[in-house]
Amino acid sequence: MGQIAFWSVGHGTGVTSSVAAIASIIGSEYRIRTLVSQPQGEENTLERGFARSINTYSRDLTTDAGTGLDALVRLARSGKLERETVKNNALLIERDRLDLLSGSERMNRLQFENAGGLIGNIYAQARQYYDCILLDIRSGMDSPAAAQALADADLVVVCLTQNADILERYFDRHGLPEELEGKKQLLLFSGYDVRSKYKAANILRKYGRRESPLTIPYSSDFRDAINDGDIKGFISRSRVLHRRHDNYPFMVEVRRTAETLLEEIGINTRLKHVDATKGAS
């Protein structure tokens, strides 16, 4: 159905944590094939956040070809990519719903950037199997591989914070990647503080923007879950919460964000929700 790239003008804006939360809720609540990946050289923080959910027997750590993107780059160079090749090299998080394709463990950043065209082909091939692909790409404006991912995306989620420097760098639009021009985009405020005077609506009004932004509140419990490698467990435990629970606002906004993104790439969330068949008979 679609490929979604998550990107920010600067580092430390909560891109990875947002991707992880959204991927996990989609895997838990929608009957679609989703792939989440972090196509960055020497970066595997996304995989570490799901560590407790990964079946270690699903990957051969002794192979000389490497795993994840490393193995797929080798296959791409040999012209051996097929419809289910990506699936066969991904890690299972939620059976038939969510797989994680690990980033490179063997390529440094320069090697990774030089392989950008092959990596783009890998995700293009993955689209033949997966309904939704979520990519946590390198922030900033200095990565050709990230620029390629932006160009290939059906939707770009620009992750922002309530930090004035980040806001100015994005909204002043000086030196932004040309791949964003004409691209369907949504704004997502990560680690959002509802008590701050820098509310999303006020920020957009200041810069003359009219779109409806998405927000994901900061959650210390979710941050702990990332550090514990238990993202899936946290989402599973938090799916049903009382309105007064500290994590209730976080889950409401993660759900709203996931639903919005899926609708934007053409997925009927009502039909694909796990509860859609209840009461239909």
Side-chain angles (χ1 to χ4, degrees), residues 244-277:
R244 295 182 181 179
H245 195 286
D246 289 345
N247 293 327
Y248 182 81
F250 174 84
M251 291 299 296
V252 166
E253 292 305 316
V254 170
R255 275 198 179 95
R256 182 171 78 94
T257 299
E259 181 179 350
T260 300
L261 299 188
L262 292 178
E263 293 283 355
E264 285 289 337
I265 61 171
I267 292 175
N268 188 321
T269 53
R270 290 188 178 183
L271 291 179
K272 293 298 184 179
H273 198 277
V274 292
D275 294 329
T277 57

PDB file of all heavy atoms in Angstrom, residues 244-277:
ATOM      1  N   ARG A 244      -7.708   7.859  33.660  1.00  0.00           N
ATOM      2  CA  ARG A 244      -6.871   8.572  34.620  1.00  0.00           C
ATOM      3  C   ARG A 244      -5.451   8.030  34.699  1.00  0.00           C
ATOM      4  O   ARG A 244      -4.610   8.583  35.403  1.00  0.00           O
ATOM      5  CB  ARG A 244      -7.519   8.513  36.007  1.00  0.00           C
ATOM      6  CG  ARG A 244      -8.849   9.259  36.079  1.00  0.00           C
ATOM      7  CD  ARG A 244      -9.426   9.215  37.485  1.00  0.00           C
ATOM      8  NE  ARG A 244     -10.712   9.914  37.552  1.00  0.00           N
ATOM      9  CZ  ARG A 244     -11.443  10.000  38.658  1.00  0.00           C
ATOM     10  NH1 ARG A 244     -11.029   9.396  39.778  1.00  0.00           N
ATOM     11  NH2 ARG A 244     -12.593  10.648  38.642  1.00  0.00           N
ATOM     12  N   HIS A 245      -5.182   6.961  33.973  1.00  0.00           N
ATOM     13  CA  HIS A 245      -3.834   6.385  33.987  1.00  0.00           C
ATOM     14  C   HIS A 245      -2.865   7.347  33.305  1.00  0.00           C
ATOM     15  O   HIS A 245      -3.194   7.999  32.315  1.00  0.00           O
ATOM     16  CB  HIS A 245      -3.836   5.034  33.265  1.00  0.00           C
ATOM     17  CG  HIS A 245      -2.611   4.211  33.526  1.00  0.00           C
ATOM     18  ND1 HIS A 245      -1.381   4.504  32.969  1.00  0.00           N
ATOM     19  CD2 HIS A 245      -2.428   3.103  34.287  1.00  0.00           C
ATOM     20  CE1 HIS A 245      -0.493   3.618  33.367  1.00  0.00           C
ATOM     21  NE2 HIS A 245      -1.108   2.753  34.172  1.00  0.00           N
ATOM     22  N   ASP A 246      -1.653   7.431  33.846  1.00  0.00           N
ATOM     23  CA  ASP A 246      -0.656   8.357  33.308  1.00  0.00           C
ATOM     24  C   ASP A 246      -0.361   8.121  31.832  1.00  0.00           C
ATOM     25  O   ASP A 246      -0.035   9.064  31.093  1.00  0.00           O
ATOM     26  CB  ASP A 246       0.650   8.250  34.105  1.00  0.00           C
ATOM     27  CG  ASP A 246       0.527   8.843  35.505  1.00  0.00           C
ATOM     28  OD1 ASP A 246      -0.464   9.575  35.751  1.00  0.00           O
ATOM     29  OD2 ASP A 246       1.408   8.583  36.342  1.00  0.00           O
ATOM     30  N   ASN A 247      -0.455   6.859  31.387  1.00  0.00           N
ATOM     31  CA  ASN A 247      -0.094   6.525  30.010  1.00  0.00           C
ATOM     32  C   ASN A 247      -1.273   6.593  29.038  1.00  0.00           C
ATOM     33  O   ASN A 247      -1.098   6.351  27.841  1.00  0.00           O
ATOM     34  CB  ASN A 247       0.524   5.122  29.948  1.00  0.00           C
ATOM     35  CG  ASN A 247       1.863   5.076  30.662  1.00  0.00           C
ATOM     36  OD1 ASN A 247       2.615   6.045  30.669  1.00  0.00           O
ATOM     37  ND2 ASN A 247       2.160   3.941  31.284  1.00  0.00           N
ATOM     38  N   TYR A 248      -2.451   6.922  29.556  1.00  0.00           N
ATOM     39  CA  TYR A 248      -3.636   6.971  28.689  1.00  0.00           C
ATOM     40  C   TYR A 248      -3.487   7.994  27.558  1.00  0.00           C
ATOM     41  O   TYR A 248      -3.730   7.657  26.385  1.00  0.00           O
ATOM     42  CB  TYR A 248      -4.883   7.261  29.531  1.00  0.00           C
ATOM     43  CG  TYR A 248      -6.163   7.285  28.726  1.00  0.00           C
ATOM     44  CD1 TYR A 248      -6.815   6.108  28.372  1.00  0.00           C
ATOM     45  CD2 TYR A 248      -6.711   8.502  28.307  1.00  0.00           C
ATOM     46  CE1 TYR A 248      -7.979   6.129  27.630  1.00  0.00           C
ATOM     47  CE2 TYR A 248      -7.872   8.541  27.559  1.00  0.00           C
ATOM     48  CZ  TYR A 248      -8.513   7.352  27.227  1.00  0.00           C
ATOM     49  OH  TYR A 248      -9.666   7.383  26.486  1.00  0.00           O
ATOM     50  N   PRO A 249      -3.066   9.237  27.835  1.00  0.00           N
ATOM     51  CA  PRO A 249      -2.908  10.214  26.734  1.00  0.00           C
ATOM     52  C   PRO A 249      -1.892   9.759  25.684  1.00  0.00           C
ATOM     53  O   PRO A 249      -2.083   9.986  24.480  1.00  0.00           O
ATOM     54  CB  PRO A 249      -2.437  11.485  27.448  1.00  0.00           C
ATOM     55  CG  PRO A 249      -2.904  11.325  28.858  1.00  0.00           C
ATOM     56  CD  PRO A 249      -2.787   9.859  29.149  1.00  0.00           C
ATOM     57  N   PHE A 250      -0.836   9.115  26.132  1.00  0.00           N
ATOM     58  CA  PHE A 250       0.183   8.613  25.196  1.00  0.00           C
ATOM     59  C   PHE A 250      -0.435   7.598  24.243  1.00  0.00           C
ATOM     60  O   PHE A 250      -0.262   7.691  23.020  1.00  0.00           O
ATOM     61  CB  PHE A 250       1.328   7.979  25.988  1.00  0.00           C
ATOM     62  CG  PHE A 250       2.371   7.310  25.140  1.00  0.00           C
ATOM     63  CD1 PHE A 250       3.410   8.041  24.576  1.00  0.00           C
ATOM     64  CD2 PHE A 250       2.328   5.939  24.897  1.00  0.00           C
ATOM     65  CE1 PHE A 250       4.369   7.431  23.785  1.00  0.00           C
ATOM     66  CE2 PHE A 250       3.278   5.313  24.100  1.00  0.00           C
ATOM     67  CZ  PHE A 250       4.312   6.071  23.554  1.00  0.00           C
ATOM     68  N   MET A 251      -1.178   6.639  24.777  1.00  0.00           N
ATOM     69  CA  MET A 251      -1.759   5.598  23.941  1.00  0.00           C
ATOM     70  C   MET A 251      -2.826   6.166  23.001  1.00  0.00           C
ATOM     71  O   MET A 251      -2.933   5.743  21.844  1.00  0.00           O
ATOM     72  CB  MET A 251      -2.350   4.495  24.814  1.00  0.00           C
ATOM     73  CG  MET A 251      -1.310   3.672  25.568  1.00  0.00           C
ATOM     74  SD  MET A 251      -0.165   2.806  24.449  1.00  0.00           S
ATOM     75  CE  MET A 251      -1.280   1.694  23.602  1.00  0.00           C
ATOM     76  N   VAL A 252      -3.602   7.111  23.472  1.00  0.00           N
ATOM     77  CA  VAL A 252      -4.626   7.726  22.618  1.00  0.00           C
ATOM     78  C   VAL A 252      -3.980   8.370  21.399  1.00  0.00           C
ATOM     79  O   VAL A 252      -4.428   8.200  20.253  1.00  0.00           O
ATOM     80  CB  VAL A 252      -5.436   8.777  23.413  1.00  0.00           C
ATOM     81  CG1 VAL A 252      -6.264   9.650  22.460  1.00  0.00           C
ATOM     82  CG2 VAL A 252      -6.357   8.093  24.410  1.00  0.00           C
ATOM     83  N   GLU A 253      -2.896   9.100  21.617  1.00  0.00           N
ATOM     84  CA  GLU A 253      -2.266   9.822  20.512  1.00  0.00           C
ATOM     85  C   GLU A 253      -1.464   8.898  19.593  1.00  0.00           C
ATOM     86  O   GLU A 253      -1.395   9.132  18.383  1.00  0.00           O
ATOM     87  CB  GLU A 253      -1.378  10.940  21.058  1.00  0.00           C
ATOM     88  CG  GLU A 253      -2.150  12.059  21.734  1.00  0.00           C
ATOM     89  CD  GLU A 253      -3.207  12.663  20.824  1.00  0.00           C
ATOM     90  OE1 GLU A 253      -2.922  12.910  19.627  1.00  0.00           O
ATOM     91  OE2 GLU A 253      -4.337  12.876  21.294  1.00  0.00           O
ATOM     92  N   VAL A 254      -0.869   7.857  20.135  1.00  0.00           N
ATOM     93  CA  VAL A 254      -0.178   6.883  19.280  1.00  0.00           C
ATOM     94  C   VAL A 254      -1.193   6.199  18.371  1.00  0.00           C
ATOM     95  O   VAL A 254      -0.950   6.014  17.169  1.00  0.00           O
ATOM     96  CB  VAL A 254       0.587   5.845  20.122  1.00  0.00           C
ATOM     97  CG1 VAL A 254       1.104   4.703  19.238  1.00  0.00           C
ATOM     98  CG2 VAL A 254       1.767   6.504  20.839  1.00  0.00           C
ATOM     99  N   ARG A 255      -2.340   5.833  18.926  1.00  0.00           N
ATOM    100  CA  ARG A 255      -3.407   5.213  18.117  1.00  0.00           C
ATOM    101  C   ARG A 255      -3.884   6.172  17.032  1.00  0.00           C
ATOM    102  O   ARG A 255      -4.080   5.791  15.885  1.00  0.00           O
ATOM    103  CB  ARG A 255      -4.589   4.830  19.005  1.00  0.00           C
ATOM    104  CG  ARG A 255      -4.472   3.487  19.672  1.00  0.00           C
ATOM    105  CD  ARG A 255      -5.825   3.014  20.161  1.00  0.00           C
ATOM    106  NE  ARG A 255      -5.701   1.708  20.773  1.00  0.00           N
ATOM    107  CZ  ARG A 255      -5.542   1.506  22.079  1.00  0.00           C
ATOM    108  NH1 ARG A 255      -5.493   2.535  22.905  1.00  0.00           N
ATOM    109  NH2 ARG A 255      -5.422   0.280  22.559  1.00  0.00           N
ATOM    110  N   ARG A 256      -4.124   7.418  17.412  1.00  0.00           N
ATOM    111  CA  ARG A 256      -4.614   8.407  16.448  1.00  0.00           C
ATOM    112  C   ARG A 256      -3.602   8.617  15.330  1.00  0.00           C
ATOM    113  O   ARG A 256      -3.957   8.702  14.151  1.00  0.00           O
ATOM    114  CB  ARG A 256      -4.895   9.738  17.147  1.00  0.00           C
ATOM    115  CG  ARG A 256      -5.462  10.817  16.230  1.00  0.00           C
ATOM    116  CD  ARG A 256      -5.905  12.019  17.027  1.00  0.00           C
ATOM    117  NE  ARG A 256      -4.798  12.848  17.434  1.00  0.00           N
ATOM    118  CZ  ARG A 256      -4.370  13.907  16.746  1.00  0.00           C
ATOM    119  NH1 ARG A 256      -4.952  14.245  15.598  1.00  0.00           N
ATOM    120  NH2 ARG A 256      -3.367  14.638  17.195  1.00  0.00           N
ATOM    121  N   THR A 257      -2.325   8.658  15.698  1.00  0.00           N
ATOM    122  CA  THR A 257      -1.278   8.845  14.699  1.00  0.00           C
ATOM    123  C   THR A 257      -1.209   7.652  13.753  1.00  0.00           C
ATOM    124  O   THR A 257      -1.140   7.814  12.532  1.00  0.00           O
ATOM    125  CB  THR A 257       0.082   9.047  15.397  1.00  0.00           C
ATOM    126  OG1 THR A 257       0.025  10.223  16.209  1.00  0.00           O
ATOM    127  CG2 THR A 257       1.202   9.202  14.377  1.00  0.00           C
ATOM    128  N   ALA A 258      -1.228   6.453  14.306  1.00  0.00           N
ATOM    129  CA  ALA A 258      -1.165   5.242  13.481  1.00  0.00           C
ATOM    130  C   ALA A 258      -2.334   5.188  12.513  1.00  0.00           C
ATOM    131  O   ALA A 258      -2.160   4.905  11.317  1.00  0.00           O
ATOM    132  CB  ALA A 258      -1.153   3.997  14.369  1.00  0.00           C
ATOM    133  N   GLU A 259      -3.530   5.465  12.999  1.00  0.00           N
ATOM    134  CA  GLU A 259      -4.722   5.435  12.142  1.00  0.00           C
ATOM    135  C   GLU A 259      -4.615   6.467  11.027  1.00  0.00           C
ATOM    136  O   GLU A 259      -4.930   6.181   9.863  1.00  0.00           O
ATOM    137  CB  GLU A 259      -5.971   5.697  12.980  1.00  0.00           C
ATOM    138  CG  GLU A 259      -7.258   5.663  12.177  1.00  0.00           C
ATOM    139  CD  GLU A 259      -8.488   5.896  13.036  1.00  0.00           C
ATOM    140  OE1 GLU A 259      -8.377   5.892  14.282  1.00  0.00           O
ATOM    141  OE2 GLU A 259      -9.578   6.087  12.451  1.00  0.00           O
ATOM    142  N   THR A 260      -4.145   7.660  11.365  1.00  0.00           N
ATOM    143  CA  THR A 260      -4.009   8.721  10.363  1.00  0.00           C
ATOM    144  C   THR A 260      -3.018   8.329   9.270  1.00  0.00           C
ATOM    145  O   THR A 260      -3.287   8.501   8.071  1.00  0.00           O
ATOM    146  CB  THR A 260      -3.550  10.027  11.028  1.00  0.00           C
ATOM    147  OG1 THR A 260      -4.518  10.436  12.007  1.00  0.00           O
ATOM    148  CG2 THR A 260      -3.381  11.137  10.001  1.00  0.00           C
ATOM    149  N   LEU A 261      -1.889   7.777   9.661  1.00  0.00           N
ATOM    150  CA  LEU A 261      -0.863   7.400   8.687  1.00  0.00           C
ATOM    151  C   LEU A 261      -1.362   6.290   7.769  1.00  0.00           C
ATOM    152  O   LEU A 261      -1.136   6.323   6.549  1.00  0.00           O
ATOM    153  CB  LEU A 261       0.409   6.960   9.395  1.00  0.00           C
ATOM    154  CG  LEU A 261       1.103   7.990  10.289  1.00  0.00           C
ATOM    155  CD1 LEU A 261       2.451   7.466  10.760  1.00  0.00           C
ATOM    156  CD2 LEU A 261       1.276   9.316   9.589  1.00  0.00           C
ATOM    157  N   LEU A 262      -2.031   5.307   8.333  1.00  0.00           N
ATOM    158  CA  LEU A 262      -2.537   4.207   7.512  1.00  0.00           C
ATOM    159  C   LEU A 262      -3.586   4.702   6.521  1.00  0.00           C
ATOM    160  O   LEU A 262      -3.593   4.301   5.353  1.00  0.00           O
ATOM    161  CB  LEU A 262      -3.124   3.114   8.403  1.00  0.00           C
ATOM    162  CG  LEU A 262      -2.126   2.341   9.273  1.00  0.00           C
ATOM    163  CD1 LEU A 262      -2.861   1.328  10.143  1.00  0.00           C
ATOM    164  CD2 LEU A 262      -1.073   1.640   8.427  1.00  0.00           C
ATOM    165  N   GLU A 263      -4.456   5.570   6.965  1.00  0.00           N
ATOM    166  CA  GLU A 263      -5.461   6.123   6.058  1.00  0.00           C
ATOM    167  C   GLU A 263      -4.802   6.915   4.935  1.00  0.00           C
ATOM    168  O   GLU A 263      -5.256   6.882   3.778  1.00  0.00           O
ATOM    169  CB  GLU A 263      -6.435   7.022   6.832  1.00  0.00           C
ATOM    170  CG  GLU A 263      -7.320   6.287   7.833  1.00  0.00           C
ATOM    171  CD  GLU A 263      -8.469   5.538   7.168  1.00  0.00           C
ATOM    172  OE1 GLU A 263      -8.639   5.657   5.948  1.00  0.00           O
ATOM    173  OE2 GLU A 263      -9.200   4.829   7.892  1.00  0.00           O
ATOM    174  N   GLU A 264      -3.724   7.615   5.252  1.00  0.00           N
ATOM    175  CA  GLU A 264      -3.030   8.435   4.250  1.00  0.00           C
ATOM    176  C   GLU A 264      -2.410   7.599   3.138  1.00  0.00           C
ATOM    177  O   GLU A 264      -2.229   8.077   2.023  1.00  0.00           O
ATOM    178  CB  GLU A 264      -1.951   9.286   4.924  1.00  0.00           C
ATOM    179  CG  GLU A 264      -2.477  10.474   5.709  1.00  0.00           C
ATOM    180  CD  GLU A 264      -3.019  11.582   4.818  1.00  0.00           C
ATOM    181  OE1 GLU A 264      -2.618  11.659   3.640  1.00  0.00           O
ATOM    182  OE2 GLU A 264      -3.846  12.373   5.298  1.00  0.00           O
ATOM    183  N   ILE A 265      -2.073   6.342   3.435  1.00  0.00           N
ATOM    184  CA  ILE A 265      -1.496   5.488   2.389  1.00  0.00           C
ATOM    185  C   ILE A 265      -2.522   4.518   1.816  1.00  0.00           C
ATOM    186  O   ILE A 265      -2.171   3.547   1.157  1.00  0.00           O
ATOM    187  CB  ILE A 265      -0.250   4.723   2.889  1.00  0.00           C
ATOM    188  CG1 ILE A 265      -0.580   3.799   4.058  1.00  0.00           C
ATOM    189  CG2 ILE A 265       0.874   5.695   3.256  1.00  0.00           C
ATOM    190  CD1 ILE A 265       0.569   2.870   4.447  1.00  0.00           C
ATOM    191  N   GLY A 266      -3.790   4.788   2.085  1.00  0.00           N
ATOM    192  CA  GLY A 266      -4.848   4.046   1.423  1.00  0.00           C
ATOM    193  C   GLY A 266      -5.338   2.793   2.102  1.00  0.00           C
ATOM    194  O   GLY A 266      -5.999   1.962   1.472  1.00  0.00           O
ATOM    195  N   ILE A 267      -5.040   2.628   3.390  1.00  0.00           N
ATOM    196  CA  ILE A 267      -5.502   1.443   4.118  1.00  0.00           C
ATOM    197  C   ILE A 267      -6.774   1.785   4.881  1.00  0.00           C
ATOM    198  O   ILE A 267      -6.815   2.773   5.628  1.00  0.00           O
ATOM    199  CB  ILE A 267      -4.418   0.932   5.081  1.00  0.00           C
ATOM    200  CG1 ILE A 267      -3.232   0.371   4.282  1.00  0.00           C
ATOM    201  CG2 ILE A 267      -4.978  -0.136   6.024  1.00  0.00           C
ATOM    202  CD1 ILE A 267      -2.056  -0.053   5.114  1.00  0.00           C
ATOM    203  N   ASN A 268      -7.808   0.993   4.692  1.00  0.00           N
ATOM    204  CA  ASN A 268      -9.067   1.188   5.389  1.00  0.00           C
ATOM    205  C   ASN A 268      -8.922   0.644   6.804  1.00  0.00           C
ATOM    206  O   ASN A 268      -8.986  -0.561   7.036  1.00  0.00           O
ATOM    207  CB  ASN A 268     -10.208   0.470   4.657  1.00  0.00           C
ATOM    208  CG  ASN A 268     -11.577   0.806   5.227  1.00  0.00           C
ATOM    209  OD1 ASN A 268     -11.751   0.924   6.439  1.00  0.00           O
ATOM    210  ND2 ASN A 268     -12.555   0.956   4.345  1.00  0.00           N
ATOM    211  N   THR A 269      -8.734   1.541   7.756  1.00  0.00           N
ATOM    212  CA  THR A 269      -8.438   1.113   9.122  1.00  0.00           C
ATOM    213  C   THR A 269      -9.628   0.435   9.792  1.00  0.00           C
ATOM    214  O   THR A 269      -9.455  -0.418  10.664  1.00  0.00           O
ATOM    215  CB  THR A 269      -7.979   2.306   9.976  1.00  0.00           C
ATOM    216  OG1 THR A 269      -8.951   3.360   9.887  1.00  0.00           O
ATOM    217  CG2 THR A 269      -6.638   2.825   9.474  1.00  0.00           C
ATOM    218  N   ARG A 270     -10.824   0.782   9.389  1.00  0.00           N
ATOM    219  CA  ARG A 270     -12.000   0.125   9.986  1.00  0.00           C
ATOM    220  C   ARG A 270     -12.069  -1.341   9.588  1.00  0.00           C
ATOM    221  O   ARG A 270     -12.377  -2.205  10.408  1.00  0.00           O
ATOM    222  CB  ARG A 270     -13.271   0.848   9.555  1.00  0.00           C
ATOM    223  CG  ARG A 270     -13.429   2.233  10.162  1.00  0.00           C
ATOM    224  CD  ARG A 270     -14.786   2.825   9.850  1.00  0.00           C
ATOM    225  NE  ARG A 270     -14.947   4.130  10.464  1.00  0.00           N
ATOM    226  CZ  ARG A 270     -16.059   4.856  10.394  1.00  0.00           C
ATOM    227  NH1 ARG A 270     -17.106   4.383   9.728  1.00  0.00           N
ATOM    228  NH2 ARG A 270     -16.136   6.032  10.976  1.00  0.00           N
ATOM    229  N   LEU A 271     -11.783  -1.619   8.324  1.00  0.00           N
ATOM    230  CA  LEU A 271     -11.833  -3.002   7.856  1.00  0.00           C
ATOM    231  C   LEU A 271     -10.658  -3.825   8.351  1.00  0.00           C
ATOM    232  O   LEU A 271     -10.787  -5.033   8.577  1.00  0.00           O
ATOM    233  CB  LEU A 271     -11.880  -3.034   6.330  1.00  0.00           C
ATOM    234  CG  LEU A 271     -13.165  -2.533   5.666  1.00  0.00           C
ATOM    235  CD1 LEU A 271     -13.034  -2.599   4.149  1.00  0.00           C
ATOM    236  CD2 LEU A 271     -14.369  -3.352   6.134  1.00  0.00           C
ATOM    237  N   LYS A 272      -9.503  -3.198   8.508  1.00  0.00           N
ATOM    238  CA  LYS A 272      -8.284  -3.927   8.853  1.00  0.00           C
ATOM    239  C   LYS A 272      -8.022  -4.003  10.356  1.00  0.00           C
ATOM    240  O   LYS A 272      -7.104  -4.696  10.782  1.00  0.00           O
ATOM    241  CB  LYS A 272      -7.080  -3.277   8.166  1.00  0.00           C
ATOM    242  CG  LYS A 272      -7.099  -3.401   6.641  1.00  0.00           C
ATOM    243  CD  LYS A 272      -7.048  -4.853   6.199  1.00  0.00           C
ATOM    244  CE  LYS A 272      -6.970  -4.976   4.692  1.00  0.00           C
ATOM    245  NZ  LYS A 272      -6.905  -6.394   4.260  1.00  0.00           N
ATOM    246  N   HIS A 273      -8.813  -3.332  11.150  1.00  0.00           N
ATOM    247  CA  HIS A 273      -8.619  -3.381  12.603  1.00  0.00           C
ATOM    248  C   HIS A 273      -8.938  -4.776  13.100  1.00  0.00           C
ATOM    249  O   HIS A 273      -9.837  -5.449  12.582  1.00  0.00           O
ATOM    250  CB  HIS A 273      -9.496  -2.347  13.292  1.00  0.00           C
ATOM    251  CG  HIS A 273      -9.065  -2.041  14.695  1.00  0.00           C
ATOM    252  ND1 HIS A 273      -9.432  -2.838  15.779  1.00  0.00           N
ATOM    253  CD2 HIS A 273      -8.288  -1.061  15.214  1.00  0.00           C
ATOM    254  CE1 HIS A 273      -8.914  -2.349  16.888  1.00  0.00           C
ATOM    255  NE2 HIS A 273      -8.196  -1.267  16.564  1.00  0.00           N
ATOM    256  N   VAL A 274      -8.230  -5.233  14.108  1.00  0.00           N
ATOM    257  CA  VAL A 274      -8.427  -6.599  14.607  1.00  0.00           C
ATOM    258  C   VAL A 274      -9.834  -6.831  15.131  1.00  0.00           C
ATOM    259  O   VAL A 274     -10.317  -7.964  15.173  1.00  0.00           O
ATOM    260  CB  VAL A 274      -7.416  -6.938  15.731  1.00  0.00           C
ATOM    261  CG1 VAL A 274      -6.001  -7.013  15.170  1.00  0.00           C
ATOM    262  CG2 VAL A 274      -7.504  -5.935  16.869  1.00  0.00           C
ATOM    263  N   ASP A 275     -10.523  -5.770  15.520  1.00  0.00           N
ATOM    264  CA  ASP A 275     -11.881  -5.916  16.043  1.00  0.00           C
ATOM    265  C   ASP A 275     -12.947  -5.751  14.964  1.00  0.00           C
ATOM    266  O   ASP A 275     -14.144  -5.768  15.263  1.00  0.00           O
ATOM    267  CB  ASP A 275     -12.137  -4.877  17.138  1.00  0.00           C
ATOM    268  CG  ASP A 275     -11.260  -5.110  18.372  1.00  0.00           C
ATOM    269  OD1 ASP A 275     -10.948  -6.282  18.627  1.00  0.00           O
ATOM    270  OD2 ASP A 275     -10.901  -4.141  19.036  1.00  0.00           O
ATOM    271  N   ALA A 276     -12.498  -5.584  13.715  1.00  0.00           N
ATOM    272  CA  ALA A 276     -13.460  -5.285  12.647  1.00  0.00           C
ATOM    273  C   ALA A 276     -14.443  -6.417  12.408  1.00  0.00           C
ATOM    274  O   ALA A 276     -15.586  -6.184  12.009  1.00  0.00           O
ATOM    275  CB  ALA A 276     -12.712  -4.981  11.345  1.00  0.00           C
ATOM    276  N   THR A 277     -14.010  -7.668  12.643  1.00  0.00           N
ATOM    277  CA  THR A 277     -14.887  -8.816  12.378  1.00  0.00           C
ATOM    278  C   THR A 277     -15.841  -9.118  13.529  1.00  0.00           C
ATOM    279  O   THR A 277     -16.769  -9.904  13.383  1.00  0.00           O
ATOM    280  CB  THR A 277     -14.048 -10.070  12.097  1.00  0.00           C
ATOM    281  OG1 THR A 277     -13.184 -10.318  13.215  1.00  0.00           O
ATOM    282  CG2 THR A 277     -13.222  -9.884  10.838  1.00  0.00           C
TER     283      THR A 277
END
